[in-house]
Amino acid sequence: MEKVYTEQIVRREMSIKDWAIRIGTVLLTLLLCFIVLNVFYQAFAILLALGCWFSFVVWRRMSKEYEYIFTDGQLDVDCIYSRSNRRSMVSLSSRDIEVIAPASDKQYEAMFNKKYDKFLDAGRGGIRENTYVVICNREDKSLKMYFEPNEEMLELLHKYMPRTLVMKK
């Protein structure tokens, strides 16, 4: 059998919460600088530099992309922060995956609404038109994950796991 491999990157869209955190860090930096300016004016430049650095780090950390890699029955999901720092989120074997179905599929609604040990939203944010839900059990832990595969990834998943993947109707 030939090797099965595909990868896809999905950029996380900024939510209102993300924008509030970004703006909050900038306002907090300005507030602390104002307080220090009135009390310890000698440390103003140092605090301003540290505050700007902190705001910059938080601002960049809010920029996320998810990369899905499917290789011979192994689905790996990595989070890429500010297009430079990669962190592995989860690695799932096809044997552990119970179902991959569209989030809008009413047949699996009861299964999707159950309580799971771990939840990951590795899509653009929330449930959208092309959001799929992965239900997985491994090492006595259950996982529910949202992800947004493209057509090429869906075809390979279906080829490798025809009974597990539920295609959109």
Side-chain angles (χ1 to χ4, degrees), residues 19-158:
W19 280 110
I21 290 171
R22 279 183 167 186
I23 292 170
T25 58
V26 171
L27 292 177
L28 180 66
T29 298
L30 292 174
L31 178 67
L32 286 175
C33 286
F34 178 72
I35 290 171
V36 168
L37 182 62
N38 288 330
V39 179
F40 303 109
Y41 61 90
Q42 292 93 1
F44 175 73
I46 295 170
L47 185 68
L48 180 63
L50 287 173
C52 290
W53 176 79
F54 176 72
S55 296
F56 176 74
V57 168
V58 169
W59 194 277
R60 289 196 46 166
R61 182 89 175 161
M62 301 302 289
S63 172
K64 294 181 188 177
E65 294 175 337
Y66 294 101
E67 182 178 37
Y68 316 136
I69 303 168
F70 184 71
T71 309
D72 293 330
Q74 188 80 17
L75 179 63
D76 298 315
V77 179
D78 297 342
C79 184
I80 304 169
Y81 295 101
S82 61
R83 297 184 182 196
S84 60
N85 300 334
R86 176 183 301 268
R87 187 176 138 228
S88 179
M89 300 293 287
V90 69
S91 182
L92 305 173
S93 172
S94 61
R95 291 172 291 195
D96 298 331
I97 297 174
E98 288 182 24
V99 68
I100 301 174
S104 59
D105 196 332
K106 300 296 182 196
Q107 177 182 353
Y108 294 96
E109 191 171 341
M111 179 185 258
F112 295 160
N113 292 332
K114 286 179 14 184
K115 179 85 172 134
Y116 292 93
D117 296 324
K118 189 173 181 181
F119 170 73
L120 291 173
D121 186 352
R124 289 184 292 160
I127 296 176
R128 298 177 182 268
E129 181 182 321
N130 59 340
T131 302
Y132 279 72
V133 180
V134 176
I135 304 295
C136 175
N137 281 314
R138 64 176 187 179
E139 302 169 4
D140 297 326
K141 300 274 185 186
S142 58
L143 167 76
K144 174 180 162 182
M145 179 178 73
Y146 291 161
F147 83 124
E148 298 180 21
N150 59 15
E151 291 299 320
E152 179 185 1
M153 175 130 348
L154 285 173
E155 287 174 15
L156 286 177
L157 285 168
H158 185 66

